[in-house]
Amino acid sequence: MLCLICYKRIMTSLRFIKGIGPKKAALFNKLGIADIEDLAFYFPRKWIDRRLDQEKKDLPFVSKAAVACGEVISAREAYAASGLVIFKAMIKRDGGGNTEAVFFKRRARGFDVFASLRKDFRPGSRVWITGDSDDMLFLSRIRAQEYYCDNDALAKKLHIGRIIPVYSLTEGLTGKAMRETVAAGLAIAADGIGDFLPARIRSKRALFSRAEALRSIHFPENYFQLEFARKRLIYEELLLFALACSIRRREIREIPKHFSYEVKRHLLTPFRRNLGFELTAGQKKAINEIFDDMMAPVPMARLLEGEVGSGKTVVALSAMLLVAENGAQSAFIAPTEILAQQHFFAFEKFLKGLKVRFELLTGSTPAAKRKKILEGLASGETDIIIGTHAILSSGVKFKNFRLAVVDEQHRFGVRQRAAMRNKGDLADMLVMTATPIPRSLFLSMYGDLDLSTIKELPAGRKPVKTLETDEQTAFDAVARETAAGNKVYIVYPAIEDSVQAGLKAVKTEFEKIKKFFPHLKIDLLHGRMKSGEKKKAMENFAAGDTQVLVATQVVEVGLDVPEASLMIINNAERFGLAALHQLRGRVGRGNKQSKCLLVCGSRTAESSERLAALVNCPSGFELSQKDIYLRGAGDIFTEEQHGDMGFKLADLSRDGEILRQAISDKDELLSIDPGISAPENAGIRAKLIEQYAGKWNLIDLS
């Protein structure tokens, strides 16, 4: 009981901190900070080393600032025609050498922007300067960001001459004010928050106490403290997540479902016969695994990973037809309306001639049609519903719901999957992805999902050649491919022109391409088009009425056009590996040799490494391993994939060793104390209840 009491949240109001009135408290509330414990766990997004003697060691989350401390020799003001005013001060540094500190400010009518600088930079005054410098060795010139007088004790404690935290802020809150508030909050709360990890685990893993970790994560004295603080807080995040996943997996497998299936084959046999091709060994294996799960007495929770174009939809349809053969209903859920429409077209092709009633339900379905669809689902007349998140709404009722198929699983979280399963009596769940990403790999290994894979492509498919090139070379390739009777995708990252430098917009480039290729039939596709316009653009491209489809990332999944042999991705450096591989997978779906051309703008070292990985790895499974190290658990261009994890610091790409330790300790803890009810584990149980019980509906913890 003592552990539970000492763990209890510290709800102390921010108003207990000196200088925090109602207005400033409202600013903190915008950041999700409601009390002092929230403040203590509002971790920095990075750190800056502002010490005069900086460590030679480099950490990826710490940047090094140019810092000078010394006596002011001279100061002067200058004016620029652009409306900028410039203040320059020459500092004689302690230890030798001079530094020119340069301040840039905007003119403000009726306001003396340099009043405080003139006061503090009188010759003979001692100051600290920090900012950026092109000359980090000799510090001959610093573009100043902040300065402090040498006699400012608080500044030396929190803002200068140390490693400082950098936080995400909101308008009205400065970094300086945030640091001072966090320091004051830690003085009140750090020792009272309590430590829920048993002493044996802290000792085994050489972990800081929670109080020590909180102080050091915000205001580390050195890199050692910072690394160990991060390790402690990352470990607890990963341990809690691993425990929650295991408890959820156990719960799902302990509750029997009240239905079963019989393979009757009056739909499955004609479906297989009408496909026009033989299923691959991987498809057959996946179907058998899924059918075995569906026949089991507990709900299925399976992840189907397959290469782009490997035939996952056919596997999913086989499972849905088994459900239909048994007089029950299933749902196929896609993350976007355009993808749901594409799957609906695929179902029309695959289910032609079969006595299966299926419908499309999205947010833009007309009211009258929506009413009919809902009536069909409620009465049981509709066997299969294809749609978006609209299916999850409370107004969608089923008569006999048995199977949920979720496509592109990385865009759906644990809660969304649970909401879909709850549409029926513990419905079976099949989730799919074309590119195995870090989150799916983790969940399949340690979470609530079993795993099936399809690695081989259908017979006759050739790997897509991937190359980096320039725009003119890419356009030359468009001319060659279309002259040979093939089709082309040209993808851009944005719909409208953006303030972001170098980011190309599909609308603007579409008009340019039409002028560049006046003899070609070219169409446009992006997410903001009306439903009918999008459908027509896709149908025209698939039917051959369009030779070139200029689009945004909406084409990354779902479109299956065997005649498409060239994919051009502009601003390729702006996309994550998962998206790039998905886009590449739109070509190479016939027996022709296909190409994916990457046209890039300015790149970072990280994006260059990511693009090199794509060029050298045709396999999505191989890419997924590289993606863990290059990109981590978040997706660069779409929704973050770790939203349901609730991580503040942990990154599965970087923290693999800590994850391994947490998984090992989780297994040991549950083997000894399956219910997490032992007194020494009371703190862990309390924290799990707070963080996961309600969000994931963990009955065992309620």
Side-chain angles (χ1 to χ4, degrees), residues 455-522:
K455 291 191 175 182
E456 71 268 52
L457 295 175
R461 298 278 180 91
K462 299 176 182 178
V464 178
K465 291 183 178 179
T466 306
L467 305 166
E468 289 190 56
T469 189
D470 56 61
E471 187 176 60
Q472 184 57 55
T473 303
F475 281 178
D476 291 343
V478 172
R480 286 195 303 272
E481 293 299 317
T482 53
N486 301 326
K487 298 177 187 176
V488 176
Y489 295 97
I490 304 178
V491 172
Y492 293 93
I495 297 176
E496 307 278 359
D497 286 326
S498 169
V499 294
Q500 284 186 267
L503 197 65
K504 292 187 176 181
V506 71
K507 284 186 174 182
T508 302
E509 299 302 319
F510 173 65
E511 297 300 328
K512 293 179 182 177
I513 291 169
K514 284 199 299 182
K515 293 177 182 177
F516 200 84
F517 297 107
H519 59 291
L520 296 180
K521 296 176 181 177
I522 303 172

Side-chain angles (χ1 to χ4, degrees), residues 384-401:
I384 297 172
I385 186 72
I386 303 116
T388 59
H389 293 78
I391 298 175
L392 299 175
S393 65
S394 59
V396 179
K397 307 289 185 184
F398 293 83
K399 181 180 180 181
N400 191 18
F401 183 65

Side-chain angles (χ1 to χ4, degrees), residues 64-264:
K64 296 182 179 181
V67 184
C69 175
E71 181 180 325
V72 178
I73 301 173
S74 62
R76 62 188 179 88
E77 300 170 27
Y79 295 88
S82 62
L84 286 176
V85 284
I86 303 170
F87 187 92
K88 295 182 179 182
M90 188 62 69
I91 312 296
K92 182 181 180 180
R93 296 196 312 274
D94 296 346
N98 292 342
T99 295
E100 183 183 53
V102 183
F103 296 84
F104 297 91
K105 291 185 179 290
R106 286 276 173 195
R107 288 195 184 100
R109 182 176 297 177
F111 181 74
D112 185 354
V113 296
F114 288 146
S116 61
L117 286 170
R118 277 195 297 271
K119 173 177 172 290
D120 294 332
F121 281 79
R122 292 171 179 160
S125 301
R126 288 184 53 79
V127 293
W128 286 78
I129 303 291
T130 184
D132 298 319
S133 177
D134 297 327
D135 178 20
M136 291 293 287
L137 182 59
F138 297 104
L139 295 178
S140 57
R141 189 172 187 267
I142 293 178
R143 293 181 296 277
Q145 294 172 345
E146 293 182 20
Y147 80 92
Y148 298 92
C149 296
D150 190 47
N151 59 3
D152 187 336
L154 181 61
K156 286 184 175 182
K157 183 179 179 182
L158 299 179
H159 307 304
I160 205 71
R162 63 167 307 121
I163 301 169
I164 68 155
V166 179
Y167 302 93
S168 296
L169 302 170
T170 188
E171 187 175 358
L173 274 181
T174 65
K176 180 175 179 289
M178 177 64 91
R179 291 191 291 272
E180 292 175 359
T181 305
V182 169
L186 288 173
I188 296 171
D191 289 324
I193 286 175
D195 201 330
F196 64 83
L197 289 183
R200 61 177 179 80
I201 289 182
R202 295 203 307 271
S203 176
K204 176 183 178 181
R205 297 302 181 190
L207 298 174
F208 275 7
S209 69
R210 213 169 189 222
E212 187 177 9
L214 284 174
R215 291 190 184 96
S216 298
I217 198 73
H218 290 284
F219 298 103
E221 295 297 325
N222 48 51
Y223 289 0
F224 172 85
Q225 274 195 3
L226 178 55
E227 288 185 284
F228 269 74
R230 283 172 53 81
K231 178 185 175 182
R232 157 61 209 243
L233 296 166
I234 288 168
Y235 175 88
E236 71 176 49
E237 286 187 326
L238 294 176
L239 178 66
L240 291 170
F241 181 73
L243 284 166
C245 283
S246 290
I247 293 168
R248 179 176 176 78
R249 185 184 185 95
R250 183 176 68 198
E251 287 182 350
I252 290 173
R253 281 152 177 75
E254 285 179 349
I255 303 174
K257 61 186 182 186
H258 305 296
F259 58 89
S260 59
Y261 301 98
E262 179 186 349
V263 180
K264 301 178 180 180

Side-chain angles (χ1 to χ4, degrees), residues 282 286 290 302-306 311-313 315-316 430-434 450-454:
I290 291 166
R302 183 163 288 273
L303 170 64
L304 175 61
E305 292 180 345
K312 296 181 300 299
T313 302
V315 172
L430 175 65
V431 296
M432 307 194 304
T433 184
D450 293 312
L451 177 65
S452 292
T453 60
I454 307 174

